[in-house]
Amino acid sequence: MKTVLLHTCCGPCGFSATKFLSDRFDIKYYWYNPNIQPFQEYEKRLNVARQLFSLVIDDYAEKEWLSAVKDIADNKNERCIRCYRVRLTKTAKRAKELKTDFFTTTLLISPYQHHDVIKEMAEEIASTVGLGFYYYDGRPDFYKNYNEFKKTGFYTQKYCGCLFGKNEK
Ligand code: SF4
């Protein structure tokens, strides 16, 4: 079976992505989410993901993430696009180091993200890094899977990740 490194943004999306990927891949779950603020919230989400998956975890590099977005923090679209790039680039590099066949991301689950941008960006990063990106569209089952996840009783977050986004809600 081929292997995929799945950038996992949170427990609910990891739960949903697993349904799309587990028939095709041996999944390695990867945690790199320096966009989650404040740190207490980061810990809560990581704690859920840790209980569900065996994770490869990279550090909470909040300063690097902030330096990538701070000049356009008020521009939601541009900020999110840069946020994707930070996380997808690191995921692709990690996948290369870990020698998985592909990388992908749970961001493809959400109808609230810029799905087509993520796909195009990940394909571009994949060709730069020299590794396959696995595309899937998890949006049609988003609510069904989310409701199923809620029945587990695990914590579910109320906003995307950063405080900029939280304040915009
Ligand atoms: S709203 Fe979400 S995707 Fe956009 S910058 Fe914040 S954490 Fe990243």
Side-chain angles (χ1 to χ4, degrees):
M1 203 178 228
K2 299 274 189 193
T3 52
V4 66
L5 190 70
L6 173 62
H7 163 250
T8 304
C9 65
C10 63
C13 291
F15 173 82
S16 188
T18 301
K19 291 177 181 283
F20 285 92
L21 302 171
S22 60
D23 284 352
R24 298 188 186 117
F25 293 106
D26 177 10
I27 306 170
K28 289 189 193 307
Y29 296 85
Y30 177 55
W31 183 269
Y32 179 65
N33 298 299
N35 54 310
I36 301 173
Q37 300 170 311
F39 187 65
Q40 290 86 340
E41 176 70 19
Y42 172 89
E43 286 190 310
K44 268 192 194 172
R45 297 188 197 186
L46 174 56
N47 184 41
V48 172
R50 257 188 169 136
Q51 291 180 70
L52 293 165
F53 317 115
S54 173
L55 292 172
V56 175
I57 301 173
D58 267 330
D59 289 345
Y60 182 58
E62 188 193 20
K63 280 191 190 148
E64 278 115 272
W65 180 82
L66 266 176
S67 75
V69 304
K70 67 181 177 207
D71 59 318
I72 42 78
D74 292 337
N75 180 335
K76 181 179 184 320
N77 284 347
E78 186 61 26
R79 186 188 72 233
C80 295
I81 287 165
R82 290 198 195 171
C83 176
Y84 303 148
R85 187 170 287 284
V86 168
R87 290 183 283 164
L88 292 173
T89 301
K90 183 94 169 190
T91 302
K93 287 181 178 165
R94 260 285 178 262
K96 188 89 176 170
E97 284 166 18
L98 294 169
K99 299 188 180 5
T100 59
D101 298 297
F102 295 89
F103 74 96
T104 192
T105 174
T106 56
L107 294 171
L108 294 169
I109 294 293
S110 173
Y112 300 106
Q113 303 294 350
H114 300 285
H115 189 94
D116 294 339
V117 172
I118 293 165
K119 176 176 185 284
E120 197 175 310
M121 184 187 291
E123 283 167 350
E124 174 226 309
I125 292 168
S127 78
T128 305
V129 172
L131 184 73
F133 164 67
Y134 183 76
Y135 172 73
Y136 67 100
D137 186 356
R139 292 172 296 178
D141 287 349
F142 177 81
Y143 293 104
K144 177 168 81 66
N145 290 336
Y146 182 73
N147 289 332
E148 194 181 323
F149 182 83
K150 281 201 94 166
K151 289 182 191 151
T152 64
F154 281 112
Y155 168 74
T156 52
Q157 64 271 14
K158 306 294 178 289
Y159 59 99
C160 179
C162 66
L163 290 177
F164 304 115
K166 185 180 183 190
N167 294 334
E168 283 158 2
K169 279 195 82 176

